[in-house]
Amino acid sequence: MRKNIVAGNWKMNKTLQEGIALAKEVNELLAGEQPACDVIICTPFIHLASVVPLVDPTKIGVGAENCADKESGAYTGEVSAAMVASTGAKYVILGHSERRAYYHETVDMLTEKVKLALANGLTPIFCVGEVLQEREAGKQNEVVATQLASVLALSPADFSKVILAYEPVWAIGTGKTATPQQAQEMHAFIRGVIAGYYDEDVADNCSILYGGSCKPSNARELFANPDVDGGLIGGAALKAADFKGIIDAFK
Ligand code: PEP
């Protein structure tokens, strides 16, 4: 069954102490209630082992923001999927546009990362999305379909473990949110690609999150779309109250 999910992406923000404080705050805000969606916080690698034991695992899952495309070995500075899993983290964001643009992550590298994440029991939160020029040229569907190749290479059983996130790059951190209609159109397109590659059932069961300047004031309208199953949240995940406000959009 497809789930509603709100996932935070802290990016390269928060010292360890600040991250611990933020995780505790989110945990406390959810303490008296059962959220109406799955809640995930994705933190820098060094926070994972400290944050995992701090949060109630029945309400909050913890994830990394990346993992290596190699299993282990002489790759100085890299962190493997097995290492992420060994902290107790259950999720990993892969293919974020910042990784694709600044660290030149390709479809092939991401295919490897997705495989290694799954092999180590991690749920990939796999991001796709076009840049402004691509949207202005009407190429957004083509771009997103190409990016999806990293997960469409999976068996249907493995694909069913993946969460997708559509994040138009022009909306990330810019304050410019996609309109609910733009989000719905792309999510429906993605679901159609999945149905074409696998079948309707697999497509129906896939959670597709929207990401890009999502905040408490626009979350409800975005999540109301039939193919939008929640959000991947950057800036607004850094303030516990704002993150909770977005989670509450499912109430
Ligand atoms: C993101 O980078 O995943 C993101 C959605 O960022 P923001 O919410 O800040 O636009």
Side-chain angles (χ1 to χ4, degrees), residues 8-11 13-20 23 40-55 60-68 78-93 122-123 125:
N9 172 14
W10 290 3
K11 309 195 184 188
N13 293 297
K14 307 286 176 190
T15 62
L16 177 59
Q17 291 74 20
E18 290 165 349
I20 287 172
I40 302 167
I41 51 182
C42 296
T43 79
F45 291 127
I46 63 137
H47 296 55
L48 293 172
S50 303
V51 165
V52 167
L54 284 180
V55 297
I60 303 173
V62 178
E65 300 170 14
N66 180 32
C67 71
E78 288 293 281
V79 174
S80 71
M83 292 173 187
V84 170
S86 73
T87 67
K90 302 284 184 223
Y91 300 87
V92 59
I93 296 173
L122 297 172
T123 296
I125 302 172

Side-chain angles (χ1 to χ4, degrees), residues 36-164:
C37 61
D38 283 10
V39 177
I40 302 167
I41 51 182
C42 296
T43 79
F45 291 127
I46 63 137
H47 296 55
L48 293 172
S50 303
V51 165
V52 167
L54 284 180
V55 297
D56 178 346
T58 66
K59 295 181 186 173
I60 303 173
V62 178
E65 300 170 14
N66 180 32
C67 71
D69 62 340
K70 304 284 192 301
E71 215 170 307
S72 65
Y75 301 101
T76 303
E78 288 293 281
V79 174
S80 71
M83 292 173 187
V84 170
S86 73
T87 67
K90 302 284 184 223
Y91 300 87
V92 59
I93 296 173
L94 293 174
H96 192 282
S97 61
E98 287 150 18
R99 302 283 328 163
R100 290 180 194 265
Y102 307 148
Y103 303 98
H104 314 294
E105 294 194 355
T106 62
V107 168
D108 288 347
M109 284 165 75
L110 290 167
T111 304
E112 287 311 303
K113 291 187 182 208
V114 168
K115 275 193 220 156
L116 286 165
L118 289 166
N120 286 282
L122 297 172
T123 296
I125 302 172
F126 188 79
C127 305
V128 294
E130 80 286 355
V131 300
L132 186 59
Q133 279 161 315
E134 291 163 338
R135 176 158 283 264
E136 284 174 348
K139 290 193 168 151
Q140 65 271 23
N141 290 3
E142 194 186 314
V143 168
V144 166
T146 303
Q147 292 170 339
L148 283 172
S150 300
V151 285
L152 295 178
L154 297 169
S155 69
D158 274 346
F159 181 82
S160 70
K161 297 173 191 154
V162 174
I163 298 166
L164 293 180

Side-chain angles (χ1 to χ4, degrees), residues 7-9 11 93 96-98 127 165-169 171-176 210-215 231-237 246:
N9 172 14
K11 309 195 184 188
I93 296 173
H96 192 282
S97 61
E98 287 150 18
C127 305
Y166 168 57
E167 301 204 302
V169 180
I172 295 181
T174 58
K176 235 193 239 176
Y210 167 80
S213 300
C214 187
K215 38 190 184 263
L232 180 55
I233 317 300
I246 295 171

